[in-house]
Amino acid sequence: MKIKFIFIISTLFLVRFVKGQDSTLQLNDIRVLASHNSYKKLPHPKVIRFLTKFKKQLGSSNDPIQLDYGHLTLEKQLNDYAIRGFELDVYYDPKGGLYRKRKLNRFITGQRVKVKDPVMKKPGFKVLHIS
């Protein structure tokens, strides 16, 4: 069972002093620098090359070039770029091991199918870009 959550974590420190006027906070007074698919890692070039072979079959809305990017770690986004909004795709894995195998990698020579990280064997929530 897949449960998808989108978490938006925002830290706002706002002070507004308006002399003689209502100091109600307006929607356009708030600005948050955020990243989309905040946890996405750069795919291996072999994966992109493999998917590009099927570009016609995938259609223009699923062009593999759209996947060819990655973000810095969340820590670097926070500290170096002042990102304060994150989009994280969280999936529930009740028994563990559900996302341990990268099924696409079965078709790509030299790509590891099983994820080494032991956390992927354990039950719980997983943060993934594509499941």
Side-chain angles (χ1 to χ4, degrees), residues 29-81:
D29 290 336
I30 300 170
R31 292 191 182 137
V32 178
L33 189 57
S35 61
H36 174 69
N37 293 328
S38 307
Y39 194 73
K40 186 181 179 310
K41 295 180 180 180
L42 186 66
H44 194 282
K46 286 183 178 182
V47 172
I48 298 299
R49 278 196 304 269
F50 177 78
L51 290 172
T52 302
K53 293 176 184 178
F54 300 96
K55 191 173 178 175
K56 271 187 184 175
Q57 292 88 339
L58 292 170
S60 59
S61 62
N62 293 313
D63 189 336
I65 200 72
Q66 295 174 21
L67 297 174
D68 197 11
Y69 73 95
H71 285 296
L72 297 171
T73 64
L74 296 178
E75 182 181 8
K76 282 196 172 284
Q77 290 181 56
L78 277 166
N79 296 333
D80 298 350
Y81 295 95

Side-chain angles (χ1 to χ4, degrees), residues 3-126:
I3 300 174
K4 183 175 180 180
F5 296 96
I6 297 179
F7 289 93
I8 303 210
I9 302 168
S10 299
T11 305
L12 301 173
F13 297 98
L14 300 172
V15 178
R16 182 174 178 188
F17 297 98
V18 180
K19 191 174 182 179
Q21 292 183 356
D22 181 17
S23 63
T24 305
L25 185 65
Q26 302 293 316
L27 183 59
N28 62 351
D29 290 336
I30 300 170
R31 292 191 182 137
V32 178
L33 189 57
S35 61
H36 174 69
N37 293 328
S38 307
Y39 194 73
K40 186 181 179 310
K41 295 180 180 180
L42 186 66
H44 194 282
K46 286 183 178 182
V47 172
I48 298 299
R49 278 196 304 269
F50 177 78
L51 290 172
T52 302
K53 293 176 184 178
F54 300 96
K55 191 173 178 175
K56 271 187 184 175
Q57 292 88 339
L58 292 170
S60 59
S61 62
N62 293 313
D63 189 336
I65 200 72
Q66 295 174 21
L67 297 174
D68 197 11
Y69 73 95
H71 285 296
L72 297 171
T73 64
L74 296 178
E75 182 181 8
K76 282 196 172 284
Q77 290 181 56
L78 277 166
N79 296 333
D80 298 350
Y81 295 95
I83 300 291
R84 294 297 180 260
F86 294 108
E87 178 199 1
L88 303 174
D89 299 329
V90 181
Y91 297 89
Y92 184 53
D93 182 2
K95 295 179 183 175
L98 184 61
Y99 303 105
R100 188 165 177 242
K101 293 182 181 178
R102 298 177 179 140
K103 294 175 185 172
L104 179 66
N105 286 2
R106 290 181 184 160
F107 305 102
I108 306 171
T109 306
Q111 287 298 104
R112 176 172 279 126
V113 174
K114 289 185 180 179
V115 178
K116 277 186 167 182
D117 192 341
V119 171
M120 298 304 275
K121 291 182 186 178
K122 297 178 181 177
F125 291 98
K126 311 292 191 299

